[in-house]
Amino acid sequence: MASLPDTSKSFKIERHNSYLLRRINSAKILNASSHLLFRASILATVVLILLFTLHYPPLLLSGSASGSSAAAHSNHRSLLASSAVSYGGAAWEREVRRSATPHRPSGFTVLVTGAAGFVGTHCSLALKKRGDGVVGLDNFNSYYDPSLKRARQALLARHGVLVLEADINDAALLAKLFDVVPFTHVLHLAAQAGVRYAMRNPQSYVASNVAGLVALFEVAAKHADPQPAIVWASSSSVYGLNTETPFSELHRTDRPASLYAATKKAGEAIAHTYNHIYGLSITGLRFFTVYGPWGRPDMAYFSFTNDILSGKPITLFRKHDGTAVQRDFTFIDDVVKGCLGALDTATPSTGSGGKKRAPAQLRVYNLGNTSPVPVAKMVGILENLLGKKANKKTVTLPQNGDVPYTHANVSLAESDFGYRPTIDLTTGLKKFVKWYVEYYGVKTGKHIDDKKKTEEEEGEAASA
Ligand SMILES: NC(=O)c1ccc[n+]([C@@H]2O[C@H](COP(=O)([O-])OP(=O)(O)OC[C@H]3O[C@@H](n4cnc5c(N)ncnc54)[C@H](O)[C@@H]3O)[C@@H](O)[C@H]2O)c1
Ligand SMILES: *[C@@H]1O[C@H](CO)[C@@H](O)[C@H](O)[C@H]1NC(C)=O
């Protein structure tokens, strides 16, 4: 029994010791965990810096000196995108070369910028189908639903066209691309489109339509060997407040009504400079309200279709004198023919060989339909095709950059490369609505032509 107090005493001492031990241990743990915390926060910082550089490479890049790091960023980005090919590596180069290889005698090798866009997708497909080699490039920005751009990219992939995810302002990537492939032509369609959005995000127009255009011209002029011939998209909006109709290439274009138009007009002036100094062969195409399958959701015919189906009201504009706003709606297939015609008749760039060299080609063409239609009539055609009435309201055209009237004179494009629009608005909208209901899987009040799908339409049936 005497051992009891002893036991309790030694127990107490033991408890005290173990208490001390635990204190020491927890101090150690605390120490260790603060080390861990320190390391973790360093790691987190590194990860954050990495993420930041991935998302904002232009902020951290200055000039071509940082080329390899730009390549590394895009490497990551293209890995994050659907293709599993790593940027700049042997596998990437093989993929790029495969996509760029023509499959017809003396076929072109074309870099298409904005290839995941509306016009870019159709042009890339048409070029590939006739045997040209095509490499696409697009930054997949979210100006409108990027899933539509991804669906177009997937469609192109099924036809053997690779679309790289990259920005035209990434000079290092462009230089690398021209090192891998001696492109004979560039079809430059990447741009910030849309007239009204310029009031909300003006800098995006400067970044893509001015800085991006210069970045592309720089690489084509100084780095590419041989220099490619360039065909690029200007816009009918350069006619701005011009009132002479139909719009001819000889008319005034010095009164743009929107920042979008101003950046396209600036592009035409910049094109003149690069043609003059560096002997680049450059053709500008002034598109007039292009529409069709795989179109742009921000454009009226497309958003009106959404709104008619969902019962949302749509707003139509009338001119200040009460007359209707009209557009020279041009079907995508006609525009594609015009783009290919311009590429086919483009002469090679001549380089900057001083006074001895022959002047390089510098051209501008209207690509329109030559028959303006009141926007209200366009809505009427849609109502018919969708079997549903629109909930319309009409207001006076606000000063938002839209012009009241467009009408193309295309006689120049006709005489130089046989451009002749063939699709009227009713026929074209029918093709658009057919694609729309298939793509979005919507039911309409109308039965839309359900003929057997041909190979041609395989892509059009693809749904997201
Ligand atoms: N559709 C029309 O009615 C129309 C009319 C006049 C002019 N245009 C011009 O035609 C061209 C094609 O138009 P669209 O209707 O196919 O438009 P779109 O927006 O569908 O296609 C443009 C593509 O370029 C990409 N892009 C934008 N900025 C980029 C950048 N900095 N780097 C890489 N990619 C970038 C976009 O992601 C988009 O996929 C544009 O230059 C546009 O301004 C179109
Ligand atoms: C269209 O433009 C051409 C010049 O390119 C001109 O000769 C012709 O008269 C114009 N047509 C109309 C209807 O204005």
Side-chain angles (χ1 to χ4, degrees), residues 118-119 138-139 144 149 168 189 191 208 260 264 290 296:
F118 168 41
V119 181
D138 202 294
N139 71 357
Y144 62 78
K149 298 180 183 182
I168 46 169
L189 302 169
S208 289
Y260 169 70
K264 288 295 187 180
V290 192
R296 259 171 47 205

Side-chain angles (χ1 to χ4, degrees), residues 112-442:
V112 180
T113 71
F118 168 41
V119 181
T121 294
H122 284 278
C123 286
S124 298
L125 271 182
L127 288 166
K128 193 70 181 185
K129 279 179 181 172
R130 71 176 201 180
D132 290 333
V134 180
V135 175
L137 188 151
D138 202 294
N139 71 357
F140 293 89
N141 69 56
S142 54
Y143 165 60
Y144 62 78
D145 183 8
S147 77
L148 180 56
K149 298 180 183 182
R150 291 295 174 194
R152 298 186 190 122
Q153 180 189 36
L155 167 65
L156 288 175
R158 287 197 294 280
H159 286 84
V161 177
L162 174 70
V163 182
L164 302 168
E165 179 171 0
D167 198 289
I168 46 169
N169 285 292
D170 189 340
L173 172 127
L174 286 181
K176 172 80 191 172
L177 210 49
F178 276 95
D179 287 342
V180 175
V181 178
F183 291 103
T184 57
H185 296 76
V186 176
L187 181 58
H188 175 55
L189 302 169
Q192 176 59 60
V195 165
R196 286 175 227 168
Y197 181 65
M199 289 165 75
R200 278 200 282 143
N201 190 358
Q203 295 302 339
S204 67
Y205 290 78
V206 179
S208 289
N209 306 0
V210 181
L213 186 70
V214 170
L216 181 80
F217 284 162
E218 277 290 310
V219 172
K222 298 179 184 169
H223 189 87
D225 188 15
Q227 291 176 332
I230 297 172
V231 173
W232 72 287
S234 180
S235 164
S236 63
S237 66
V238 298
Y239 290 109
L241 305 182
N242 173 51
T243 49
E244 279 178 274
T245 59
F247 298 166
S248 142
E249 292 85 350
L250 303 167
H251 291 171
R252 284 178 69 175
T253 55
D254 56 354
R255 291 166 295 175
S258 66
L259 183 66
Y260 169 70
T263 60
K264 288 295 187 180
K265 176 64 187 170
E268 293 187 355
I270 291 165
H272 183 273
T273 309
Y274 278 85
N275 169 266
H276 175 70
I277 299 179
Y278 300 105
L280 282 183
S281 161
I282 305 178
T283 305
L285 301 174
R286 294 175 179 165
F287 298 162
F288 284 67
T289 320
V290 192
Y291 73 99
W294 293 102
R296 259 171 47 205
D298 62 313
M299 291 182 69
Y301 72 95
F302 200 123
S303 64
F304 285 173
T305 301
N306 294 334
D307 293 345
I308 291 171
L309 288 172
S310 70
K312 254 175 73 182
I314 65 174
T315 305
L316 298 183
F317 298 124
R318 74 170 88 78
K319 291 199 275 183
H320 292 269
D321 62 8
T323 58
V325 168
Q326 301 194 41
R327 282 287 171 280
D328 197 2
F329 294 102
T330 312
F331 190 63
I332 181 65
D333 291 4
D334 288 327
V335 168
V336 169
K337 282 185 202 151
C339 291
L340 269 52
L343 285 167
D344 288 340
T345 52
T347 56
S349 294
T350 58
S352 43
K355 286 207 173 71
K356 276 177 291 170
R357 71 169 166 84
Q361 195 178 35
L362 181 67
R363 307 182 294 172
V364 170
Y365 296 102
N366 287 342
L367 289 186
N369 185 58
T370 71
S371 54
V373 175
V375 174
K377 188 177 169 198
M378 179 266 278
V379 172
I381 298 170
L382 282 177
E383 288 176 326
N384 259 334
L385 290 167
L386 298 168
K388 201 168 168 204
K389 281 281 168 210
N391 178 3
K392 290 178 280 213
K393 65 166 189 263
T394 305
V395 302
T396 302
L397 187 66
Q399 207 98 311
N400 60 6
D402 278 321
V403 293
Y405 185 84
T406 64
H407 183 183
N409 175 342
V410 299
S411 60
L412 199 59
E414 177 170 10
S415 62
D416 283 7
F417 45 85
Y419 174 76
R420 200 181 298 235
T422 59
I423 313 283
D424 63 68
L425 187 58
T426 307
T427 309
L429 281 179
K430 195 167 175 180
K431 289 172 190 278
F432 164 72
V433 169
K434 182 178 186 299
W435 166 80
Y436 182 102
V437 298
E438 281 172 7
Y439 183 78
Y440 291 106
V442 290

